[in-house]
Short mmCIF file of all heavy atoms in Angstrom, two decimals:
data_model
loop_
_atom_site.label_atom_id
_atom_site.label_comp_id
_atom_site.label_asym_id
_atom_site.label_seq_id
_atom_site.Cartn_x
_atom_site.Cartn_y
_atom_site.Cartn_z
N MET A 648 16.15 13.50 -6.58
CA MET A 648 15.38 12.54 -5.78
C MET A 648 14.12 12.16 -6.56
O MET A 648 13.44 13.00 -7.10
CB MET A 648 15.01 13.18 -4.43
CG MET A 648 14.18 12.26 -3.53
SD MET A 648 13.68 13.08 -2.01
CE MET A 648 15.25 13.25 -1.17
N SER A 649 13.84 10.86 -6.62
CA SER A 649 12.66 10.43 -7.35
C SER A 649 11.42 10.52 -6.46
O SER A 649 11.50 10.52 -5.23
CB SER A 649 12.84 9.00 -7.85
OG SER A 649 13.14 8.14 -6.79
N THR A 650 10.29 10.59 -7.10
CA THR A 650 9.02 10.69 -6.37
C THR A 650 8.08 9.62 -6.89
O THR A 650 8.30 8.99 -7.92
CB THR A 650 8.37 12.08 -6.56
OG1 THR A 650 8.11 12.27 -7.95
CG2 THR A 650 9.27 13.19 -6.04
N HIS A 651 6.99 9.42 -6.15
CA HIS A 651 6.00 8.41 -6.51
C HIS A 651 4.62 9.00 -6.23
O HIS A 651 4.42 9.62 -5.20
CB HIS A 651 6.22 7.16 -5.66
CG HIS A 651 5.46 5.96 -6.16
ND1 HIS A 651 4.13 5.76 -5.90
CD2 HIS A 651 5.87 4.90 -6.90
CE1 HIS A 651 3.76 4.61 -6.46
NE2 HIS A 651 4.79 4.08 -7.08
N PRO A 652 3.66 8.80 -7.14
CA PRO A 652 2.32 9.34 -6.88
C PRO A 652 1.57 8.49 -5.85
O PRO A 652 1.62 7.26 -5.89
CB PRO A 652 1.63 9.27 -8.25
CG PRO A 652 2.34 8.16 -8.96
CD PRO A 652 3.77 8.17 -8.45
N VAL A 653 0.91 9.15 -4.92
CA VAL A 653 0.01 8.49 -3.98
C VAL A 653 -1.33 9.21 -4.01
O VAL A 653 -1.41 10.38 -4.38
CB VAL A 653 0.57 8.46 -2.55
CG1 VAL A 653 1.86 7.66 -2.46
CG2 VAL A 653 0.76 9.86 -2.01
N THR A 654 -2.38 8.49 -3.63
CA THR A 654 -3.70 9.08 -3.58
C THR A 654 -4.09 9.31 -2.13
O THR A 654 -4.06 8.38 -1.32
CB THR A 654 -4.73 8.16 -4.26
OG1 THR A 654 -4.31 7.93 -5.60
CG2 THR A 654 -6.12 8.79 -4.26
N CYS A 655 -4.47 10.52 -1.81
CA CYS A 655 -4.87 10.87 -0.44
C CYS A 655 -6.12 10.09 -0.05
O CYS A 655 -7.10 10.07 -0.80
CB CYS A 655 -5.16 12.37 -0.37
SG CYS A 655 -5.83 12.90 1.21
N PRO A 656 -6.12 9.43 1.12
CA PRO A 656 -7.31 8.68 1.55
C PRO A 656 -8.45 9.59 2.01
O PRO A 656 -9.57 9.12 2.19
CB PRO A 656 -6.78 7.82 2.70
CG PRO A 656 -5.61 8.56 3.22
CD PRO A 656 -5.00 9.26 2.04
N THR A 657 -8.18 10.85 2.21
CA THR A 657 -9.22 11.78 2.67
C THR A 657 -9.89 12.52 1.51
O THR A 657 -11.11 12.53 1.39
CB THR A 657 -8.62 12.79 3.67
OG1 THR A 657 -8.01 12.08 4.75
CG2 THR A 657 -9.71 13.73 4.21
N CYS A 658 -9.10 13.13 0.63
CA CYS A 658 -9.67 13.92 -0.45
C CYS A 658 -9.53 13.23 -1.81
O CYS A 658 -10.08 13.71 -2.80
CB CYS A 658 -9.03 15.31 -0.49
SG CYS A 658 -7.31 15.33 -1.01
N PHE A 659 -8.80 12.12 -1.86
CA PHE A 659 -8.65 11.32 -3.08
C PHE A 659 -7.94 12.07 -4.20
O PHE A 659 -8.03 11.69 -5.36
CB PHE A 659 -10.00 10.76 -3.55
CG PHE A 659 -10.68 9.95 -2.49
CD1 PHE A 659 -11.74 10.47 -1.77
CD2 PHE A 659 -10.23 8.67 -2.19
CE1 PHE A 659 -12.35 9.73 -0.77
CE2 PHE A 659 -10.82 7.92 -1.18
CZ PHE A 659 -11.90 8.45 -0.48
N GLU A 660 -7.22 13.12 -3.85
CA GLU A 660 -6.37 13.79 -4.83
C GLU A 660 -5.03 13.07 -4.89
O GLU A 660 -4.56 12.50 -3.89
CB GLU A 660 -6.14 15.25 -4.44
CG GLU A 660 -7.39 16.12 -4.51
CD GLU A 660 -7.83 16.37 -5.94
OE1 GLU A 660 -6.98 16.33 -6.85
OE2 GLU A 660 -9.02 16.61 -6.13
N GLU A 661 -4.41 13.08 -6.06
CA GLU A 661 -3.11 12.44 -6.21
C GLU A 661 -2.01 13.49 -6.14
O GLU A 661 -2.15 14.57 -6.69
CB GLU A 661 -3.06 11.72 -7.56
CG GLU A 661 -1.90 10.75 -7.69
CD GLU A 661 -1.99 9.92 -8.96
OE1 GLU A 661 -1.55 10.42 -10.00
OE2 GLU A 661 -2.51 8.79 -8.92
N PHE A 662 -0.93 13.15 -5.44
CA PHE A 662 0.23 14.03 -5.39
C PHE A 662 1.48 13.19 -5.28
O PHE A 662 1.42 11.99 -5.04
CB PHE A 662 0.11 15.05 -4.24
CG PHE A 662 0.07 14.41 -2.87
CD1 PHE A 662 1.22 14.30 -2.11
CD2 PHE A 662 -1.13 13.93 -2.36
CE1 PHE A 662 1.18 13.72 -0.86
CE2 PHE A 662 -1.19 13.34 -1.10
CZ PHE A 662 -0.02 13.23 -0.35
N GLU A 663 2.63 13.82 -5.48
CA GLU A 663 3.90 13.09 -5.50
C GLU A 663 4.58 13.18 -4.14
O GLU A 663 4.62 14.24 -3.53
CB GLU A 663 4.82 13.72 -6.56
CG GLU A 663 4.28 13.67 -7.96
CD GLU A 663 4.55 12.33 -8.63
OE1 GLU A 663 5.54 11.69 -8.29
OE2 GLU A 663 3.75 11.95 -9.51
N VAL A 664 5.13 12.06 -3.69
CA VAL A 664 5.92 12.07 -2.46
C VAL A 664 7.36 11.66 -2.80
O VAL A 664 7.58 10.83 -3.67
CB VAL A 664 5.35 11.12 -1.39
CG1 VAL A 664 3.98 11.59 -0.93
CG2 VAL A 664 5.27 9.69 -1.90
N PRO A 665 8.33 12.25 -2.11
CA PRO A 665 9.73 11.85 -2.32
C PRO A 665 9.98 10.46 -1.77
O PRO A 665 9.48 10.10 -0.69
CB PRO A 665 10.53 12.91 -1.57
CG PRO A 665 9.59 13.47 -0.56
CD PRO A 665 8.21 13.35 -1.14
N LEU A 666 10.73 9.66 -2.49
CA LEU A 666 10.99 8.28 -2.09
C LEU A 666 12.28 8.17 -1.28
O LEU A 666 13.27 8.82 -1.61
CB LEU A 666 11.11 7.39 -3.33
CG LEU A 666 9.84 7.22 -4.15
CD1 LEU A 666 10.15 6.47 -5.43
CD2 LEU A 666 8.77 6.48 -3.35
N PRO A 667 12.27 7.32 -0.24
CA PRO A 667 13.52 7.03 0.46
C PRO A 667 14.38 6.09 -0.38
O PRO A 667 13.91 5.54 -1.38
CB PRO A 667 13.04 6.35 1.74
CG PRO A 667 11.79 5.65 1.33
CD PRO A 667 11.14 6.56 0.30
N SER A 668 15.63 5.90 0.02
CA SER A 668 16.47 4.94 -0.70
C SER A 668 15.99 3.52 -0.38
O SER A 668 15.38 3.28 0.67
CB SER A 668 17.93 5.12 -0.31
OG SER A 668 18.12 4.78 1.03
N PRO A 669 16.22 2.57 -1.30
CA PRO A 669 15.68 1.21 -1.11
C PRO A 669 16.12 0.55 0.19
O PRO A 669 15.35 -0.23 0.77
CB PRO A 669 16.23 0.45 -2.32
CG PRO A 669 16.46 1.49 -3.35
CD PRO A 669 16.86 2.73 -2.59
N ASP A 670 17.33 0.84 0.68
CA ASP A 670 17.77 0.18 1.92
C ASP A 670 17.12 0.76 3.16
O ASP A 670 17.33 0.26 4.26
CB ASP A 670 19.30 0.18 2.03
CG ASP A 670 19.92 1.54 1.86
OD1 ASP A 670 19.27 2.40 1.24
OD2 ASP A 670 21.05 1.75 2.33
N GLU A 671 16.32 1.80 3.01
CA GLU A 671 15.55 2.32 4.15
C GLU A 671 14.15 1.73 4.18
O GLU A 671 13.36 2.05 5.06
CB GLU A 671 15.46 3.84 4.08
CG GLU A 671 16.80 4.53 4.29
CD GLU A 671 16.69 6.04 4.08
OE1 GLU A 671 15.64 6.62 4.42
OE2 GLU A 671 17.63 6.63 3.55
N THR A 672 13.80 0.91 3.21
CA THR A 672 12.47 0.32 3.16
C THR A 672 12.52 -1.13 3.64
O THR A 672 13.58 -1.76 3.57
CB THR A 672 11.92 0.36 1.72
OG1 THR A 672 12.75 -0.43 0.89
CG2 THR A 672 11.83 1.77 1.20
N PRO A 673 11.40 -1.75 4.08
CA PRO A 673 10.10 -1.09 4.18
C PRO A 673 10.02 -0.16 5.39
O PRO A 673 10.65 -0.42 6.41
CB PRO A 673 9.13 -2.27 4.33
CG PRO A 673 9.95 -3.33 4.99
CD PRO A 673 11.35 -3.16 4.45
N CYS A 674 9.24 0.89 5.24
CA CYS A 674 9.04 1.82 6.35
C CYS A 674 7.71 2.54 6.15
O CYS A 674 7.11 2.47 5.09
CB CYS A 674 10.19 2.82 6.45
SG CYS A 674 10.33 3.92 5.04
N GLU A 675 7.26 3.19 7.22
CA GLU A 675 6.05 4.00 7.16
C GLU A 675 6.36 5.37 7.73
O GLU A 675 7.06 5.47 8.74
CB GLU A 675 4.92 3.37 7.98
CG GLU A 675 4.17 2.28 7.26
CD GLU A 675 2.92 1.88 8.01
OE1 GLU A 675 2.82 2.15 9.21
OE2 GLU A 675 2.05 1.30 7.37
N VAL A 676 5.85 6.40 7.10
CA VAL A 676 6.08 7.74 7.60
C VAL A 676 4.75 8.48 7.69
O VAL A 676 3.82 8.22 6.91
CB VAL A 676 7.05 8.56 6.70
CG1 VAL A 676 8.42 7.90 6.66
CG2 VAL A 676 6.50 8.72 5.32
N ASP A 677 4.67 9.39 8.66
CA ASP A 677 3.52 10.30 8.74
C ASP A 677 3.72 11.38 7.68
O ASP A 677 4.81 11.89 7.50
CB ASP A 677 3.45 10.97 10.11
CG ASP A 677 3.13 9.98 11.21
OD1 ASP A 677 2.28 9.10 10.97
OD2 ASP A 677 3.73 10.08 12.29
N TYR A 678 2.62 11.72 7.00
CA TYR A 678 2.72 12.72 5.94
C TYR A 678 1.43 13.51 5.92
O TYR A 678 0.37 12.95 6.20
CB TYR A 678 2.91 12.00 4.59
CG TYR A 678 3.62 12.83 3.54
CD1 TYR A 678 5.00 12.81 3.45
CD2 TYR A 678 2.90 13.62 2.66
CE1 TYR A 678 5.66 13.57 2.49
CE2 TYR A 678 3.55 14.38 1.70
CZ TYR A 678 4.93 14.35 1.63
OH TYR A 678 5.57 15.09 0.68
N ASP A 679 1.52 14.79 5.65
CA ASP A 679 0.32 15.61 5.51
C ASP A 679 0.02 15.79 4.03
O ASP A 679 0.89 16.12 3.25
CB ASP A 679 0.51 16.98 6.17
CG ASP A 679 0.59 16.88 7.68
OD1 ASP A 679 0.01 15.93 8.24
OD2 ASP A 679 1.21 17.76 8.30
N CYS A 680 -1.22 15.57 3.67
CA CYS A 680 -1.65 15.73 2.28
C CYS A 680 -1.30 17.12 1.77
O CYS A 680 -1.55 18.11 2.45
CB CYS A 680 -3.15 15.49 2.17
SG CYS A 680 -3.79 15.77 0.50
N GLU A 681 -0.74 17.17 0.57
CA GLU A 681 -0.36 18.47 0.01
C GLU A 681 -1.58 19.22 -0.52
O GLU A 681 -1.48 20.40 -0.84
CB GLU A 681 0.65 18.26 -1.12
CG GLU A 681 1.97 17.72 -0.58
CD GLU A 681 3.00 17.54 -1.67
OE1 GLU A 681 2.67 17.74 -2.85
OE2 GLU A 681 4.15 17.18 -1.33
N VAL A 682 -2.72 18.55 -0.61
CA VAL A 682 -3.93 19.18 -1.13
C VAL A 682 -4.84 19.62 0.02
O VAL A 682 -5.22 20.78 0.11
CB VAL A 682 -4.67 18.23 -2.09
CG1 VAL A 682 -5.92 18.90 -2.66
CG2 VAL A 682 -3.73 17.79 -3.21
N CYS A 683 -5.18 18.67 0.92
CA CYS A 683 -6.13 19.01 1.98
C CYS A 683 -5.46 19.10 3.35
O CYS A 683 -6.13 19.43 4.33
CB CYS A 683 -7.26 17.98 2.02
SG CYS A 683 -6.76 16.34 2.60
N CYS A 684 -4.16 18.80 3.43
CA CYS A 684 -3.37 18.94 4.66
C CYS A 684 -3.79 17.98 5.78
O CYS A 684 -3.41 18.17 6.93
CB CYS A 684 -3.38 20.39 5.19
SG CYS A 684 -2.67 21.55 4.03
N ARG A 685 -4.61 16.97 5.47
CA ARG A 685 -4.96 15.97 6.49
C ARG A 685 -3.82 14.98 6.62
O ARG A 685 -3.16 14.64 5.64
CB ARG A 685 -6.25 15.24 6.08
CG ARG A 685 -7.46 16.15 5.98
CD ARG A 685 -7.87 16.69 7.32
NE ARG A 685 -8.33 15.65 8.22
CZ ARG A 685 -9.58 15.17 8.24
NH1 ARG A 685 -10.49 15.62 7.41
NH2 ARG A 685 -9.90 14.23 9.10
N PRO A 686 -3.58 14.47 7.84
CA PRO A 686 -2.49 13.52 8.03
C PRO A 686 -2.82 12.15 7.47
O PRO A 686 -3.99 11.73 7.43
CB PRO A 686 -2.34 13.46 9.56
CG PRO A 686 -3.68 13.83 10.08
CD PRO A 686 -4.26 14.81 9.10
N MET A 687 -1.80 11.45 7.03
CA MET A 687 -1.95 10.08 6.55
C MET A 687 -0.65 9.35 6.83
O MET A 687 0.35 9.95 7.21
CB MET A 687 -2.24 10.07 5.04
CG MET A 687 -1.03 10.48 4.21
SD MET A 687 -1.42 10.69 2.50
CE MET A 687 -2.19 12.32 2.58
N LEU A 688 -0.69 8.04 6.65
CA LEU A 688 0.52 7.24 6.72
C LEU A 688 0.90 6.84 5.31
O LEU A 688 0.03 6.43 4.52
CB LEU A 688 0.28 5.98 7.55
CG LEU A 688 0.33 6.12 9.07
CD1 LEU A 688 -0.08 4.80 9.71
CD2 LEU A 688 1.73 6.50 9.53
N ILE A 689 2.16 6.96 4.98
CA ILE A 689 2.63 6.48 3.69
C ILE A 689 3.61 5.34 3.92
O ILE A 689 4.58 5.49 4.66
CB ILE A 689 3.27 7.61 2.87
CG1 ILE A 689 2.21 8.68 2.59
CG2 ILE A 689 3.85 7.07 1.57
CD1 ILE A 689 2.65 9.80 1.70
N ALA A 690 3.29 4.20 3.33
CA ALA A 690 4.15 3.02 3.43
C ALA A 690 5.03 2.95 2.19
O ALA A 690 4.55 3.11 1.06
CB ALA A 690 3.30 1.77 3.54
N PHE A 691 6.32 2.73 2.42
CA PHE A 691 7.28 2.57 1.32
C PHE A 691 7.80 1.14 1.34
O PHE A 691 8.11 0.61 2.41
CB PHE A 691 8.46 3.53 1.48
CG PHE A 691 8.09 4.98 1.41
CD1 PHE A 691 7.97 5.74 2.56
CD2 PHE A 691 7.88 5.59 0.18
CE1 PHE A 691 7.64 7.09 2.49
CE2 PHE A 691 7.55 6.94 0.11
CZ PHE A 691 7.43 7.68 1.26
N ASP A 692 7.91 0.55 0.19
CA ASP A 692 8.55 -0.76 0.09
C ASP A 692 9.27 -0.85 -1.25
O ASP A 692 8.95 -0.10 -2.18
CB ASP A 692 7.50 -1.87 0.21
CG ASP A 692 8.12 -3.18 0.68
OD1 ASP A 692 9.37 -3.25 0.83
OD2 ASP A 692 7.37 -4.15 0.89
N SER A 693 10.24 -1.75 -1.34
CA SER A 693 11.00 -1.87 -2.58
C SER A 693 11.00 -3.32 -3.04
O SER A 693 10.90 -4.24 -2.24
CB SER A 693 12.44 -1.39 -2.37
OG SER A 693 13.05 -2.10 -1.31
N ASP A 694 11.09 -3.52 -4.34
CA ASP A 694 11.19 -4.87 -4.88
C ASP A 694 12.66 -5.25 -5.05
O ASP A 694 13.56 -4.49 -4.70
CB ASP A 694 10.39 -5.00 -6.18
CG ASP A 694 10.92 -4.11 -7.29
OD1 ASP A 694 12.10 -3.70 -7.23
OD2 ASP A 694 10.15 -3.82 -8.22
N GLU A 695 12.90 -6.44 -5.60
CA GLU A 695 14.29 -6.93 -5.67
C GLU A 695 15.15 -6.12 -6.63
O GLU A 695 16.37 -6.20 -6.60
CB GLU A 695 14.30 -8.43 -6.05
CG GLU A 695 13.65 -8.74 -7.38
CD GLU A 695 12.16 -9.02 -7.25
OE1 GLU A 695 11.57 -8.67 -6.22
OE2 GLU A 695 11.60 -9.59 -8.20
N ASP A 696 14.54 -5.32 -7.50
CA ASP A 696 15.31 -4.47 -8.40
C ASP A 696 15.66 -3.12 -7.77
O ASP A 696 16.26 -2.27 -8.41
CB ASP A 696 14.52 -4.21 -9.69
CG ASP A 696 14.27 -5.49 -10.46
OD1 ASP A 696 15.16 -6.35 -10.49
OD2 ASP A 696 13.17 -5.64 -11.03
N GLY A 697 15.25 -2.92 -6.51
CA GLY A 697 15.51 -1.65 -5.85
C GLY A 697 14.53 -0.57 -6.24
O GLY A 697 14.77 0.62 -6.00
N GLU A 698 13.40 -0.99 -6.85
CA GLU A 698 12.37 -0.02 -7.23
C GLU A 698 11.48 0.23 -6.02
O GLU A 698 10.87 -0.70 -5.49
CB GLU A 698 11.55 -0.62 -8.38
CG GLU A 698 10.64 0.36 -9.07
CD GLU A 698 11.34 1.10 -10.19
OE1 GLU A 698 12.48 0.73 -10.56
OE2 GLU A 698 10.75 2.06 -10.67
N VAL A 699 11.41 1.50 -5.59
CA VAL A 699 10.63 1.82 -4.40
C VAL A 699 9.23 2.27 -4.79
O VAL A 699 9.05 3.05 -5.73
CB VAL A 699 11.33 2.92 -3.56
CG1 VAL A 699 10.55 3.21 -2.29
CG2 VAL A 699 12.76 2.50 -3.22
N SER A 700 8.23 1.74 -4.09
CA SER A 700 6.85 2.15 -4.31
C SER A 700 6.29 2.74 -3.02
O SER A 700 6.82 2.52 -1.94
CB SER A 700 5.98 0.95 -4.72
OG SER A 700 6.43 0.41 -5.93
N ALA A 701 5.19 3.48 -3.15
CA ALA A 701 4.57 4.13 -2.00
C ALA A 701 3.06 3.95 -2.04
O ALA A 701 2.45 3.95 -3.12
CB ALA A 701 4.91 5.62 -1.99
N TRP A 702 2.47 3.78 -0.85
CA TRP A 702 1.02 3.71 -0.72
C TRP A 702 0.61 4.61 0.45
O TRP A 702 1.27 4.62 1.48
CB TRP A 702 0.54 2.29 -0.37
CG TRP A 702 0.91 1.25 -1.36
CD1 TRP A 702 0.14 0.78 -2.40
CD2 TRP A 702 2.14 0.51 -1.43
NE1 TRP A 702 0.81 -0.19 -3.09
CE2 TRP A 702 2.05 -0.39 -2.52
CE3 TRP A 702 3.30 0.51 -0.68
CZ2 TRP A 702 3.08 -1.24 -2.87
CZ3 TRP A 702 4.32 -0.35 -1.03
CH2 TRP A 702 4.20 -1.22 -2.11
N ALA A 703 -0.50 5.29 0.28
CA ALA A 703 -1.01 6.13 1.36
C ALA A 703 -2.23 5.46 1.97
O ALA A 703 -3.03 4.83 1.28
CB ALA A 703 -1.40 7.50 0.82
N ARG A 704 -2.36 5.59 3.30
CA ARG A 704 -3.58 5.15 3.96
C ARG A 704 -3.88 6.09 5.11
O ARG A 704 -2.99 6.77 5.62
CB ARG A 704 -3.47 3.71 4.44
CG ARG A 704 -2.40 3.44 5.46
CD ARG A 704 -2.34 1.95 5.74
NE ARG A 704 -1.24 1.61 6.64
CZ ARG A 704 -1.36 1.62 7.97
NH1 ARG A 704 -2.51 1.96 8.53
NH2 ARG A 704 -0.34 1.29 8.74
N GLY A 705 -5.13 6.13 5.48
CA GLY A 705 -5.53 7.03 6.54
C GLY A 705 -5.07 6.53 7.89
O GLY A 705 -4.79 5.35 8.08
N LEU A 706 -5.00 7.42 8.85
CA LEU A 706 -4.65 7.02 10.21
C LEU A 706 -5.81 6.24 10.80
O LEU A 706 -6.96 6.52 10.53
CB LEU A 706 -4.38 8.26 11.06
CG LEU A 706 -3.24 9.16 10.59
CD1 LEU A 706 -3.17 10.41 11.48
CD2 LEU A 706 -1.92 8.43 10.61
N GLY A 707 -5.48 5.22 11.60
CA GLY A 707 -6.51 4.46 12.28
C GLY A 707 -7.22 3.44 11.42
O GLY A 707 -8.23 2.91 11.83
N GLU A 708 -6.70 3.17 10.22
CA GLU A 708 -7.32 2.14 9.41
C GLU A 708 -6.60 0.81 9.59
O GLU A 708 -5.41 0.78 9.84
CB GLU A 708 -7.26 2.52 7.92
CG GLU A 708 -8.26 3.60 7.59
CD GLU A 708 -8.15 3.98 6.11
OE1 GLU A 708 -7.61 3.19 5.32
OE2 GLU A 708 -8.60 5.06 5.76
ZN1 ZN B 1689 -5.96 15.16 0.82
#
């Protein structure tokens, strides 16, 4: 399974998240930071080549 680096919106540390398959995107999942354990939302989307990217944002933003 491939992963993608995201930056935690709370502690600004970077960590890798597992990517869903392209046909499951776009989607958003709740995720807990692997560094500070604070919750965040991670948005996944894919381009026309089936390349999946991920972005993290804080809850309530
Ligand atoms: Zn964090």
Side-chain angles (χ1 to χ4, degrees):
M648 179 184 291
S649 55
T650 61
H651 193 280
V653 297
T654 302
C655 174
T657 303
C658 69
F659 304 103
E660 293 289 334
E661 194 172 84
F662 62 97
E663 299 277 331
V664 295
L666 293 173
S668 66
D670 52 337
E671 293 175 35
T672 63
C674 64
E675 278 191 340
V676 298
D677 293 320
Y678 206 89
D679 291 333
C680 176
E681 294 181 355
V682 181
C683 70
C684 299
R685 297 293 296 275
M687 70 188 78
L688 279 173
I689 298 185
F691 296 101
D692 203 356
S693 56
D694 63 21
E695 59 271 17
D696 297 323
E698 192 87 10
V699 183
S700 298
W702 300 265
R704 62 185 175 88
L706 300 176
E708 285 179 20

